[in-house]
Amino acid sequence: MFKPKKKQKDPTQHSDKAVLDYNGERKAPDMKTFVEYNMPNYADRISFPTDLPKSLQKATKFGLPTAMLFPRKPKTSSITKFLSTIFRRRLLLVEVVPNMKNEELMKQYDIVPDQLPVLIIQKEDSSIVRYDGTDFSRRKLERFLSEHAKKEPVYKPVVVSEDDKSEEGDETKRKVHTEF
């Protein structure tokens, strides 16, 4: 009999799953470390104050609110990785590393190192909302972020209207080629 032909894979789709092999000991702490290390992380990590404007520019380009997390520890926690994956493309999660270089950012947002961890939301209109809870559990953080995140994911940059372009002045205009 004849076998059916296999469909060719579409080269533009990347739906293949990456399989990771675990070759360590079969003990819970070792396996937990392996899983946490390999979790996807879509949070922007701010190690230097000069990194923040790039992240804020990305948020304005896509019209996303920005959640800025000031953690107590320099290592990215598994909750932060989880939240960055859940709210990917609906909210930009920025993690500001607690180091000496980022102290001026903490002063800019009125954060004292004794108060860490702190979570603030900076909306598109540059208003700031601060998380008032003392419990940083996954469920409470997810509820707080879902109130301020977009309802639908954003895949394309926000289009600037013609009125906004004329006010900016220095922006170069793109030439549009039309055929009749």
Side-chain angles (χ1 to χ4, degrees):
M1 299 298 309
F2 296 104
K3 291 183 181 178
K5 290 185 179 181
K6 288 185 178 180
K7 286 186 175 180
Q8 294 291 330
K9 284 188 177 181
D10 186 10
T12 60
Q13 293 183 350
H14 302 288
S15 62
D16 293 336
K17 293 184 179 180
V19 178
L20 297 174
D21 290 331
Y22 175 69
N23 294 324
E25 290 188 57
R26 301 291 186 214
K27 294 183 179 177
D30 295 335
M31 294 188 329
K32 180 183 175 204
T33 304
F34 176 79
V35 169
E36 286 179 352
Y37 180 76
N38 289 306
M39 281 178 72
N41 184 10
Y42 299 107
D44 285 358
R45 191 170 167 88
I46 307 298
S47 298
F48 301 100
T50 56
D51 297 340
L52 184 62
K54 295 175 190 173
S55 295
L56 294 178
Q57 183 180 13
K58 186 190 328 181
T60 56
K61 178 180 177 182
F62 289 95
L64 297 173
T66 306
M68 298 176 66
L69 176 65
F70 294 87
R72 191 175 289 142
K73 298 177 183 176
K75 184 184 172 203
T76 304
S77 68
S78 58
I79 292 176
T80 305
K81 291 180 180 183
F82 168 76
L83 292 173
S84 71
T85 305
I86 293 296
F87 293 104
R88 184 178 181 200
R89 294 190 175 111
R90 296 191 305 145
L91 177 118
L92 182 66
L93 186 63
V94 176
E95 181 183 19
V96 181
V97 179
N99 58 20
M100 299 297 284
K101 298 170 189 164
N102 287 334
E103 282 185 359
E104 65 184 52
L105 284 177
M106 294 171 68
K107 288 178 185 175
Q108 179 181 350
Y109 290 102
D110 297 327
I111 297 171
V112 181
D114 298 337
Q115 298 173 344
L116 295 179
V118 175
L119 177 66
I120 58 174
I121 304 283
Q122 186 172 357
K123 296 186 177 186
E124 295 107 6
D125 60 353
S126 68
S127 63
I128 293 178
V129 179
R130 191 174 182 145
Y131 177 68
D132 293 330
T134 56
D135 185 21
F136 276 76
S137 66
R138 179 195 62 85
R139 188 174 44 217
K140 290 185 179 179
L141 289 175
E142 189 174 358
R143 186 179 307 135
F144 176 73
L145 291 176
S146 65
E147 292 173 3
H148 301 286
K150 298 267 188 186
K151 301 300 178 203
E152 296 294 323
V154 178
Y155 294 104
K156 294 181 182 177
V158 176
V159 178
V160 179
S161 66
E162 291 296 325
D163 296 334
D164 294 340
K165 283 186 181 180
S166 62
E167 292 174 3
E168 292 174 4
D170 292 332
E171 187 173 330
T172 58
K173 295 182 179 179
R174 295 187 321 184
K175 294 182 180 177
V176 179
H177 179 71
T178 57
E179 292 183 19
F180 294 105

